[in-house]
Each structure stands twice: as C-alpha cells, then as structure tokens.
Amino acid sequence: MIGSVAFQTKARTVDHLGREQIADTPTAISELWKNAFDAYARNVALNIFDGASQVAVIDDDGHGMNRDEFVNRWLVVGTESKATTDRMPIGDRNGLRVRPRQGQKGIGRLSCANLGPILLFVSKRRQQPFVAALVDWRLFENPFLNLSDIQIPVVEFTTREELFELLPLLVDGLAKNLSDAADPARASRLTAAWKDYDRLYETEHAEGISNKLRAPSSELRSTIDDLSFEPRHVAQWPVWTGDAEHGTALLVSGINYDLQVQLETEVADSSARAARDRFFETLSSFVDPFVDPLNPEARAAVDLEFSYSVRTWRGDVPELVVGSEKQFDRRLLDGLEHQIVGTIDRDGVFVGRVKAFGQWVEEPCRIVPPRDLAIPRRADTEVGPFDIYIASMEFVSANTTLPRLEFQRYQELAERYSGFMIFRDGLRVLPYGRTDNDFFEIESRRSKNAGREFWNHRQMFGRLAISRNANPNLKDKAGREGLLDNRAAKTLKVIVANILSQSARRYFGSASAIRSEMLPQVKASNKAERAKNERNKLRQRQRKEFRAKLDGYVKELPGLVSNLEHFAQHLNIADESGIADAQAAVETFKEKVSDLRLPGAPKSLGSLEAKYADYRDSMRSAKVLLETVTEEIERQIERIDPAQPRDLLERQLARHSSQIAHRIQQWKKKIEALQKAEFERIRDLVSQRNKHFHTEASPLLALFDRGELSFAEAAKRLEQEKERVDAENEDLFLPYIGALESLKESIDLEHLAAFGMEEAGDMRAELDRLNSLAQLGIAVEIVGHELQAYDDIIGAALRRLPPEVREGKAAKDIEFGYEGLTDQLRFLSPLRLAGQKIQRWITGGEIADYVSEFFKLPLANNRISLTATDAFRRFRVFDQQSRLFPVFINLINNSLYWIGTSDRQDRRIILDVIGAAVVVSDSGPGVDPEDVDNLFSLFFTRKVRGGRGVGLYLSRANLSAGGHRIRYTAPSDGQPLQGANFVIEFRGAEFDGE
C-alpha cells in the first residue's frame, strides 16, 4: 500500500530565505525600499538613531496594511499575489500612475533580518486601525524548531500613543516562543528545542567554532527584556506626524555593523570607511538618474514620484547620508565630451548617437551583435529591447576638450557617482555599478589593452534601462545579487560587451580614427596644462632633493661646527713653517662648508620649516667661525712676518688649483654617468619607437586580409596611424633636441624653469586668494539683498499662521532656526559655483520679473527702461535659480552703469531671444574692440568708480558650472540695441515651447 507524506518546514527555512540570501546591508535596504515602491509610497526613508541601543527605522507613506493583510500576506512567505497579478486597486495607488511591480518572489520583506535581530512592524491603512507586531529573527536560527511552532504577537490599536503602551504585551507574546505555559504540548516542544539548541552552542563553544557570546535562549531573553524602542524613533514617519493617513514603519533594534558605522563622525578604521563607501555607492542611485526629461527613452521611467533618503540622528540633529536630495541627474552629464545614447532592439542591434571629443558624430551609429552570437527568439529566452546611455571624458587634463572648471567638476562627480548600472522600470538592479562588480567585463578587457578598450568603470557614468514588460526573462536572483544566470542574461552580457568594445574602437580608444585626428589638436590646445605638469614634476623633484640634502646636512653641520670651534680655540702659528698648515686646514674647512651649502629652498617649507631653521643657524655659526679663524690667521701671519711670502702664495695657489680640479672631476664623473644613462635611454626609446608603428599598424593588414576593411579604408587608416605615431614621436624628441640646443648655448634650464615656476606659483597663489575674496564680495552683495527679501517673506508668512500654530513648537523651531541661519549667512555666504542642489524649469518671465523688482529703484532714478520680449518670457531652461539669477543681476548692473555714463536720450535694456540664444542688450556705449578679449578676465574693469572686475568673471564661471556659455558680440543689425550685447547659450533650453 502506498502512503503519502508532506514536507515539514523547519524554522531555519525563513533564515535561509531572508538573512542568508541577501548579499549585504545596502542590498537589504534596497529590497525594502522596493516594497515601499510597490505599496505606492511617494517617500521612503531610513533613519538611524544613536543611543544606548541603536535603532534603524525604515518608514514610508504607502497604502499600508491592516491586521488581516499582515497575517495573510506579510507573514506568508512567497505571497501569491506578486506571482499572479500586477493589478493594484485604484484606492491603493494614492493618486499615482500604475507602477510596474518590483517584487517577484514574495521574500523581500525577509531582508529585515539582515539589518538587525529584532523588528517592530507598524502599519496603517487609510481609515483603519494601526497594526503592530514584534519579530525576533533569531527564533528562526534554531534548527530544532518547526516553523509552525513560532508565533508572532500582533495587536491592533487606534491612536498612535497606544503603541508604546502595548509594547510590553508584544514583548511578553514574543517571549512565549521560548516557553508557553498556556499550551503544554507547544511548551514541551519549545523547551526541548531550546534545550537542544543551547546544548549545541555549548558543544560549538567548547570547540571554538561558535560566534555567540552566550547560550541562544539566554541571549534572546536578555535582549527582549532590554528592548528600547522610543517615540523619537517614529517621530519622522509621515503617519506619526500627521502628514499621511497610511504607511508602514519597520523599527529594527540591535542594528548591524554597516548601519552602526553610519553614525560615526570620524571614521579611522579602514573597514568602517569601506563599509560607508559601499553603502553610499549602492544606495546613491536607487532611482534612475540618467533619464532625460526632455527626451525620455522608451524603457526609461520618467518622474516616478518616489523619493528616498538615509539620515543619521545624533540626538535631535539629523544628517543626510544619501538620498534624492543628494543625487546627481542626467543634465549634469550633458557637457561630458564622450557619450553614447541609443536603443538595442530585440535582435541585439544598437542604433543611436555618439559624441566624441565634444562633438556629436553626424552619422547615426549602428552596432550589430557578434557574428558568433545566436540571438534567442523563444518567449522564455529572448532578451527583448532595452536602452543604453553612457557618458565619459578624458581624465588626463592634457587630452580633454573641457574647460578647466568643468573638468574639475566632472572629476569630483566621478569620484562619487561613476559606474555602469542597470535599472528596471526606474529602480536600480544590484549589484551592477559597484566597483567590485564587472559583469560586462569592462576592467577585464581594459587590462589587456587600456588604450584601445578605453572604457573604465571608475571613469564612466551610464546605465541600461530594462523593464519587466519588455524584458521578462531578465530576472533577479533570489538573493538580489544580480540577474539570474539564464540564457537571456548571458546574451545581454555579450551584446553590451560588444557595444562597449566596438564603440571604443570606432570613436574613443587608441585604435579610433577620430581619436587619431582629434587628440593632436586637443593636446596642442592644452600645452599650457602640460607645461604646468612639467613644472609640478620639477618642483617635486627639487623638493625631494632639498629634503634629502637637508636631512643629511643637518646631521653633519653640528660636527663640523664643533671641529671648527676646537680648531679656533687651539689655533697657534708658532713660526713660518706653520702658516701653510693653518691655511690648508682652513681651506679644508671652507671646502666642507661649501659642500654643505643648500641653495634653492622652497618658499613654502611646511614641515621642513623647523629643520631648515636649525640648518641656517648651524651654517651661520660655521661661517662666523671661518671668518674669525681667517682673521686670526692673517693676524698671526702679520705677527710672524714670513721671510719667503711668495713661496707661501705659490703653495696656496697650488692647493686652490688642486681643490678646484678635484671638484670639477667630481662633477665630470656625475655628468658622464648621467650622459651614459641618458644615452642608453634614448637608444632604447629610439628602438622602441621604430617598432611602435609596425606593431600598431599591423592589425590593420589582418583586418584587410579578413575582408573587414577595403583597400581604400585600410590605406586611409594606415595614413592616419602614421600621422598619429609621427605626432607622438615629435612630442617626444623635439623638446629633447631643443633642451640640448639650449644647453649648447649655455642657457641654464634648471634656473630658468625654477625661476618661472616660483614666479608662476606666486601668481597662482595670489590669484586664488584674490579670487576667493572676489567671490566673497560679490556673494555678499547678492545674498545681502536676497536674504532681506526672504526674511520679509518668511516673517510675513509666520505672522499669517493661525495663533495655535504660530505658538506651536514646530513654528518656533522654524523661526529660531531661520534666525540662526540668517545670522551666520550675513557674516559669511560664499557663492558656490554649483549653487543649491534644487533644479527646476526656470522661465524667462520669472527672470524678467525678478530683475525688474531687484533694480526697480535704480531703473526709475536713472530713467532707464528694462523690457523683456515675449520670446524671452516664453523661453525656459532646467537649472538652479541660485546659479542663473546672479548672472542676469551682474549683466543688468553693468548696463545700468554704462548707460548712466552716457548722455543719450535712448536709455534702454532689452532681454531678448535671437535664434537659440538669449541676449541681454543695452543702448549704452558698448565695449571697445580692444577690450573684448579681456572682458571675462578677473579684475578687468573700465569703470571709473565702483568697479572690481569680478562680475563677468563669476557670471561665466556660474554658467560654466551648468554647461552654459556666455560671450560678447559686437553691435550689428541683428541685435536689439546698438550698445553692449551679451549672448548666453543655455544648454537644453526650450524656446517657444519647442
């Protein structure tokens, strides 16, 4: 007879599916944030609180749960609703568009176990009671417990104050999982299971293989009894503050190491720094930042209406760690000089646009998949279409086409946000984009030929945009550590790797014809930067040599001074025969002192200051002693009055000649050694460069032999390669020849370079100081006016609040905080080029209204009209208000001054649009042609009074930070007025609603 049996589930199954499946803490947080997204939350936050018992809270304003849903869905592993339908009732969407579901397996909630052992779950649906439950995930580590023996205490309540009143009851209910007197049979099973688990701990502890500090049952009892959830832990939850009627909060006690280190103010431990860096790297781009709101791609999720944040709380003081407010966006990358934008269709063919060295390639780019790749067509294996965006730059300053300010800004951005990521329906798929993940083998290919392959994970920004509907076979692994390794994922990897490789070879890498053509031009324009690098190398070498000599001389000088003192004390020339010996001894001392001379001290000594002071003191003592001894010898020679003075002079001449010859011989040996080494280096370099062209060009013949290049194409590529290598050789050898020719003419290159380097260094330091002062001065002028206006607005708004609100703590805190902020800003308000992080669409109408109000009195007093055309009012640009408004203030302020110096009756300023550019035009005298080149230079001004020459300089810097351009154009028939005309080309601006 055949019997039937059922699977039995141990409690550890939940531990395996949750804590042990999730790769790390940031991944666990990402999973819980995705659950909030699926619950149609607009906001999700992780708050980490300090205290005797540190607590982390993930809260959202999603639709929430009632008791039945918590019991029948949240406590059911692998909830069937996520596997069968994506339909969400309209009432649960909270006014949002339909969202593609992110969760697929119904186990994401178990990620809570990764954050800490104890979870207090609190949730609320609209117009329904709160539900709360207490879970200790360590219960599920007991291998002797069945899953059915663990019971989770759950309560309902109606007002928020009841939560902490009911918390002791939840603790009691949780403790019954150790022993339950109300159910003898269950109590017997629990007692036996915990007894066996404790016994297992004792055995493992005795063998030294347990990581627990005490028996599991004792550990659970102790931490449950000491549970310390507090009202401040939920004080930021929108449901608690009354800003939302629904949502969920997950309070975690006993948080893990990765969360604890976020609270540290100074992180000295390298493992803690690594944990914080990984935390930021993983969560910083949780929502796709690469979406272009003007031209969204097919698979890109535009405006998800979903914000996220991580904050630490030390007492009542919050600090933002990462979040939507601390995130870059696609528009910040538009100025990068290398870009790929396009779509890969279901056949694996890329079609899109390419930007190389700052210029968009006219012909559309098309890259087909490798010939040996069979694109899967079956519904259960095909990849489906997806979108790609990549942006990068030349990270060697000598090769870049970017202005210096933009180059530095993108370098800083890359340090925080670089990486090649994957986003599904707008949310990030982990672990792609992290430095330790090389799914597309970018670094592997680069290690074989860095120049040809070009792409570098740490120096590129980009992502693939996939969707659940278009790419259903690209599924996450259970532990969310990447895509499931099926045929679709394997095909995706090959397709993308091929696009990266082919684009590098066509447009960006060392094998690219575009690079061969453009790079010499770019390098030629960046010679000043290269000269600066050479000066820095020389400075570093000189400083290194100076330090080494100083260290040695400081040790030698005291002994020399001591010997000199001894010699001076015992100097006594008895007769004529002793004169030569005394003179020889002094000459030896002088030669030693000469050998210890240390010229070329850097102007900024830093840590060497004290040691150099000791050296100077010792050297001064030695020179004084030498002078004293020399004078004493002369006095004693006069006393002796030698009979044969010429013989003494001849012997002195011979000694001096010998000493000079000895020093020359030492220099000769050094010169010959350097010449020999340099001769060998040049010989090897010549040999290497002779072979270099053949090595680089030979692959082109192989491409011709395989039919991948026609004869004309191969001949053209050979010519381009020859010109590129010849230019490289010219850069190597011509400067060397020039240096030798200068040496032939006895030009002191070392002195010349050192002098120019020190002079340039002084000028740069002075410029930096003046620039800082200039920024501060212009910032105070602008901020002073705006602070007064904002102060009036906030003060008036606070006064209009109802009395019961105005007297409340929140309003008082706002008033107190703003007063403190304005007091600080009145003293110091440096104008940051990046401005505030808030970007939005700004219209010409807003700008015109703002500057009209700003200059209302000066315009009236000087009888000057300021008008904005309809075209200007309709134009709009996506940027920061704090970046753009000061530019127009500076331009109009200049126009006011110069119109005021003129006796013309036509006194006008016009804001207009010509073509695709904004124009600020006035009826003043305009700019003299000889001054145009210096117009945007720092401190250049022709104003007789009140001019500092910083306004236009800072205006250009401000605009450059946003990728915009400003220039002056001479009056012409096409300009609104015949005075000064400044043209601003705004990146991404829209005109006439286009």
Side-chain angles (χ1 to χ4, degrees):
M1 182 177 178
I2 298 176
S4 298
V5 295
F7 274 107
Q8 295 187 35
T9 307
K10 289 291 185 181
R12 289 195 69 183
T13 304
V14 172
D15 193 44
H16 293 320
L17 291 174
R19 182 178 59 87
E20 294 184 2
Q21 278 286 329
I22 297 299
D24 53 27
T25 297
T27 304
I29 295 166
S30 171
E31 283 302 297
L32 296 170
W33 284 357
K34 288 179 181 178
N35 285 353
F37 180 84
D38 286 344
Y40 283 79
R42 281 185 166 86
N43 304 282
V44 65
L46 166 63
N47 292 289
I48 308 170
F49 297 90
D50 67 355
S53 177
Q54 296 169 343
V55 170
V57 181
I58 295 180
D59 61 63
D60 66 56
D61 57 1
H63 56 59
M65 291 187 182
N66 57 30
R67 189 184 190 283
D68 289 342
E69 288 168 324
F70 174 75
V71 172
N72 297 318
R73 291 181 57 191
W74 203 91
L75 290 182
V76 177
V77 178
T79 310
E80 73 284 351
S81 63
K82 291 196 175 186
T84 59
T85 180
D86 279 341
R87 191 173 300 280
M88 179 69 68
I90 293 178
D92 285 347
R93 294 180 195 164
N94 302 325
L96 297 168
R97 296 190 301 271
V98 174
R99 289 177 170 177
R101 190 178 292 279
Q102 294 287 328
Q104 298 177 7
K105 298 178 174 61
I107 61 173
R109 73 206 66 163
L110 303 181
S111 302
C112 297
N114 185 283
L115 308 184
I118 302 177
L119 167 70
L120 175 60
F121 173 96
V122 189
S123 190
K124 186 183 185 303
R125 267 192 170 276
R126 183 184 286 110
Q127 297 179 346
Q128 295 192 38
F130 288 90
V131 60
L134 192 61
V135 182
D136 193 322
W137 299 106
R138 291 169 300 181
L139 295 171
F140 302 97
E141 296 178 14
N142 189 333
F144 303 102
L145 277 176
N146 287 329
L147 186 58
S148 57
D149 280 328
I150 297 178
Q151 296 182 359
I152 305 301
V154 184
V155 295
E156 278 187 317
F157 55 97
T158 55
T159 62
R160 63 183 190 178
E161 291 78 9
E162 295 177 73
L163 173 62
F164 294 98
E165 296 173 3
L166 294 170
L167 188 56
L169 296 179
L170 291 172
V171 172
D172 291 342
L174 188 63
K176 289 181 179 179
N177 287 289
L178 296 172
S179 178
D180 188 0
D183 185 345
R186 178 170 177 261
S188 176
R189 294 194 302 274
L190 290 174
T191 300
W194 286 108
K195 185 177 181 180
D196 290 342
Y197 194 20
D198 288 348
R199 188 182 299 115
L200 177 62
Y201 156 77
E202 292 171 0
T203 301
E204 292 179 345
H205 184 71
E207 295 175 356
I209 59 175
S210 174
N211 61 355
K212 300 181 184 297
L213 299 178
R214 49 184 166 178
S217 62
S218 301
E219 179 71 20
L220 260 70
R221 283 193 181 91
S222 174
T223 50
I224 291 173
D225 291 340
D226 295 338
L227 204 59
S228 58
F229 291 121
E230 303 171 12
R232 77 170 183 130
H233 296 148
V234 286
Q236 309 306 315
W237 183 24
V239 176
W240 221 253
T241 62
D243 295 325
E245 299 179 43
H246 42 78
T248 299
L250 307 173
L251 289 74
V252 180
S253 179
I255 58 176
N256 66 22
Y257 177 75
D258 284 3
L259 295 175
Q260 292 173 18
V261 298
Q262 307 303 320
L263 287 165
E264 296 180 14
T265 53
E266 296 184 5
V267 182
D269 180 61
S270 59
S271 65
R273 287 197 302 273
R276 290 179 67 154
D277 291 344
R278 186 181 180 88
F279 190 92
F280 182 90
E281 184 182 30
T282 305
L283 296 177
S284 62
S285 299
F286 181 70
V287 175
D288 188 354
F290 298 102
V291 178
D292 185 351
L294 296 179
N295 301 291
E297 301 130 303
R299 261 64 58 180
V302 182
D303 192 14
L304 289 178
E305 295 187 67
F306 185 70
S307 68
Y308 60 95
S309 65
V310 178
R311 283 184 172 83
T312 57
W313 291 80
R314 299 175 186 89
D316 293 330
V317 179
E319 180 180 348
L320 182 65
V321 176
V322 66
S324 305
E325 303 169 43
K326 204 175 184 178
Q327 181 61 46
F328 76 100
D329 63 46
R330 165 80 167 267
R331 290 176 171 274
L332 289 178
L333 306 177
D334 282 350
L336 281 169
E337 56 195 329
H338 302 315
Q339 294 188 35
I340 297 177
V341 185
T343 296
I344 294 86
D345 63 21
R346 63 188 302 270
D347 296 322
V349 178
F350 167 81
V351 177
R353 298 189 305 150
V354 171
K355 182 183 184 183
F357 291 95
Q359 299 179 8
W360 288 100
V361 178
E362 293 183 4
E363 301 82 11
C365 175
R366 186 173 186 271
I367 299 176
V368 299
R371 295 179 181 179
D372 57 354
L373 175 66
I375 303 296
R377 304 291 186 185
R378 283 176 32 180
D380 61 345
T381 58
E382 73 169 352
V383 178
F386 57 94
D387 302 311
I388 189 170
Y389 170 82
I390 308 175
S392 186
M393 60 184 277
E394 296 291 322
F395 277 76
V396 176
S397 59
N399 297 347
T400 186
T401 60
L402 296 171
R404 181 175 60 86
L405 288 174
E406 290 188 33
F407 178 78
Q408 293 173 349
R409 180 164 60 91
Y410 286 129
Q411 275 190 318
E412 294 170 0
L413 206 63
E415 290 177 4
R416 298 291 279 170
Y417 298 108
S418 63
F420 189 49
M421 309 173 190
I422 298 178
F423 290 86
R424 179 188 289 111
D425 294 309
L427 299 189
R428 187 169 171 185
V429 179
L430 294 176
Y432 308 110
R434 294 202 305 211
T435 52
D436 58 356
N437 179 269
D438 193 23
F439 179 72
F440 296 107
E441 298 181 351
I442 295 171
E443 298 304 322
S444 175
R445 287 192 302 277
R446 183 174 172 80
S447 67
K448 297 174 183 176
N449 192 318
R452 185 182 64 210
E453 296 300 335
F454 179 74
W455 299 112
N456 183 339
H457 182 85
R458 294 179 182 274
Q459 296 178 352
M460 63 188 288
F461 307 85
R463 62 94 167 96
L464 302 181
I466 64 176
S467 68
R468 189 175 178 188
N469 290 333
N471 316 99
N473 297 315
L474 298 177
K475 301 177 181 178
D476 291 345
K477 295 179 182 178
R480 304 300 194 263
E481 69 276 20
L483 296 173
L484 197 64
D485 191 22
N486 55 22
R487 187 176 179 187
K490 288 182 170 70
T491 305
L492 173 78
K493 178 178 179 178
V494 175
I495 290 173
V496 175
N498 179 66
I499 292 170
L500 293 171
S501 182
Q502 291 299 318
S503 62
R505 298 182 187 211
R506 290 189 196 178
Y507 304 103
F508 312 114
S510 57
S512 156
I514 292 179
R515 188 177 192 86
S516 300
E517 178 183 349
M518 292 292 297
L519 199 56
Q521 302 173 27
V522 175
K523 284 186 173 181
S525 66
N526 289 335
K527 278 188 175 181
E529 187 69 24
R530 187 168 61 184
K532 175 184 174 183
N533 292 335
E534 293 299 321
R535 287 196 301 270
N536 288 337
K537 284 167 60 177
L538 178 60
R539 183 186 291 110
Q540 291 171 2
R541 177 176 69 81
Q542 289 177 335
R543 191 173 184 88
K544 183 178 179 181
E545 290 178 355
F546 178 81
R547 179 187 293 273
K549 289 181 178 179
L550 180 60
D551 288 341
Y553 294 175
V554 165
K555 294 176 182 177
E556 289 186 45
L557 268 172
L560 179 60
V561 171
S562 177
N563 291 338
L564 258 172
E565 289 175 342
H566 183 269
F567 178 79
Q569 292 170 0
H570 297 85
L571 177 61
N572 183 26
I573 305 176
D575 50 35
E576 187 174 336
S577 62
I579 293 176
D581 293 338
Q583 288 179 328
V586 170
E587 289 161 6
T588 302
F589 279 121
K590 286 182 177 179
E591 187 175 355
K592 288 181 179 179
V593 170
S594 180
D595 289 340
L596 295 178
R597 280 186 303 182
L598 192 57
K603 290 191 175 181
S604 176
L605 289 165
S607 61
L608 301 179
E609 190 76 52
K611 187 176 290 187
Y612 188 59
D614 293 341
Y615 164 82
R616 288 199 309 270
D617 290 342
S618 297
M619 182 59 80
R620 194 177 300 112
S621 299
K623 289 180 178 179
V624 169
L625 283 169
L626 278 175
E627 290 175 3
T628 302
V629 168
T630 302
E631 291 173 358
E632 179 62 21
I633 290 176
E634 291 173 354
R635 190 184 63 79
Q636 295 196 26
I637 290 175
E638 289 179 0
R639 174 179 56 82
I640 294 172
D641 189 18
Q644 300 292 331
R646 182 178 175 82
D647 291 344
L648 292 174
L649 290 174
E650 288 178 350
R651 290 164 65 185
Q652 185 176 3
L653 173 63
R655 286 196 308 274
H656 287 175
S657 297
S658 176
Q659 290 167 357
I660 288 174
H662 175 69
R663 297 198 74 187
I664 291 174
Q665 190 65 27
Q666 288 180 319
W667 290 327
K668 176 175 176 290
K669 288 180 180 179
K670 288 182 179 180
I671 291 170
E672 288 176 345
L674 289 171
Q675 286 177 332
K676 182 178 180 182
E678 191 62 11
F679 178 81
E680 297 291 335
R681 188 185 73 84
I682 293 298
R683 187 179 64 181
D684 293 342
L685 180 62
V686 168
S687 175
Q688 174 194 341
R689 298 306 298 183
N690 280 333
K691 300 173 184 176
H692 181 71
F693 172 71
H694 189 272
T695 302
E696 293 292 310
S698 293
L700 295 175
L701 298 182
L703 292 175
F704 172 75
D705 292 339
R706 293 199 299 269
E708 297 181 26
L709 286 179
S710 66
F711 172 79
E713 290 173 333
K716 181 180 178 181
R717 293 277 293 275
L718 281 171
E719 180 66 23
Q720 291 171 341
E721 189 67 20
K722 176 255 181 185
E723 290 178 358
R724 182 184 69 82
V725 173
D726 190 56
E728 289 180 358
N729 291 338
E730 188 175 284
D731 288 343
L732 283 171
F733 294 114
L734 283 185
Y736 192 83
I737 293 170
L740 292 177
E741 289 174 344
S742 297
L743 290 175
K744 179 183 176 183
E745 299 295 328
S746 299
I747 297 174
D748 188 346
L749 296 179
E750 177 94 2
H751 176 75
L752 191 64
F755 175 77
M757 185 170 59
E758 293 298 335
E759 189 175 42
D762 291 345
M763 292 176 66
R764 284 195 302 273
E766 183 66 16
L767 183 61
D768 288 342
R769 288 193 294 269
L770 292 174
N771 192 11
S772 298
L773 289 173
Q775 291 189 45
L776 181 60
I778 197 69
V780 169
E781 288 185 0
I782 296 170
V783 173
H785 178 276
E786 294 188 354
L787 276 179
Q788 184 60 52
Y790 291 140
D791 189 41
D792 293 342
I793 292 170
I794 293 177
L798 285 171
R799 287 191 295 273
R800 288 197 301 270
L801 291 174
E804 63 274 13
V805 176
R806 192 167 64 244
E807 297 302 320
K809 184 178 185 302
K812 292 293 185 184
D813 287 347
I814 292 172
E815 189 172 8
F816 175 79
Y818 183 72
E819 287 175 357
L821 179 63
T822 52
D823 285 344
Q824 294 297 321
L825 288 174
R826 289 182 202 282
F827 284 97
L828 182 63
S829 300
L831 182 62
R832 303 287 297 185
L833 295 184
Q836 299 177 6
K837 296 291 184 182
I838 301 171
Q839 289 185 309
R840 63 177 180 84
W841 283 107
I842 300 172
T843 66
E846 287 182 73
I847 296 171
D849 293 342
Y850 180 86
V851 295
S852 294
E853 180 63 26
F854 192 100
F855 291 107
K856 185 176 182 179
L857 288 177
L859 288 167
N861 292 338
N862 292 280
R863 304 185 310 281
I864 298 172
S865 69
L866 171 62
T867 58
T869 65
D870 290 341
F872 179 84
R873 286 186 166 275
R874 287 195 302 270
F875 118 87
R876 66 174 191 164
V877 61
F878 194 84
D879 208 321
Q880 302 166 16
Q881 177 178 318
S882 60
R883 176 180 289 155
L884 299 188
F885 281 24
V887 172
F888 285 90
I889 289 173
N890 277 314
L891 294 177
I892 293 171
N893 191 50
N894 283 344
S895 292
L896 285 170
Y897 176 87
W898 289 111
I899 294 174
T901 64
S902 172
D903 56 1
R904 302 181 187 185
Q905 295 300 314
D906 183 20
R907 302 165 75 83
R908 290 187 292 157
I909 303 171
I910 293 179
L911 306 177
D912 200 356
V913 170
I914 297 180
V918 167
V919 179
V920 179
S921 182
D922 67 43
S923 59
V927 177
D928 290 337
E930 59 268 23
D931 290 339
V932 171
D933 290 341
N934 298 318
L935 204 54
F936 295 96
S937 300
L938 185 61
F939 301 133
F940 176 81
T941 181
R942 293 295 188 190
K943 291 181 179 179
V944 178
R945 64 182 188 280
R948 293 180 299 276
V950 297
L952 290 177
Y953 171 83
L954 291 175
S955 294
R956 185 177 64 174
N958 252 12
L959 291 170
S960 176
H964 315 304
R965 299 285 187 272
I966 184 171
R967 57 185 169 84
Y968 178 83
T969 183
S972 65
D973 293 339
Q975 301 299 334
L977 297 171
Q978 296 304 299
N981 290 274
F982 289 91
V983 179
I984 306 175
E985 297 170 351
F986 285 108
R987 173 177 55 82
E990 292 185 354
F991 300 91
D992 294 322
E994 297 179 359

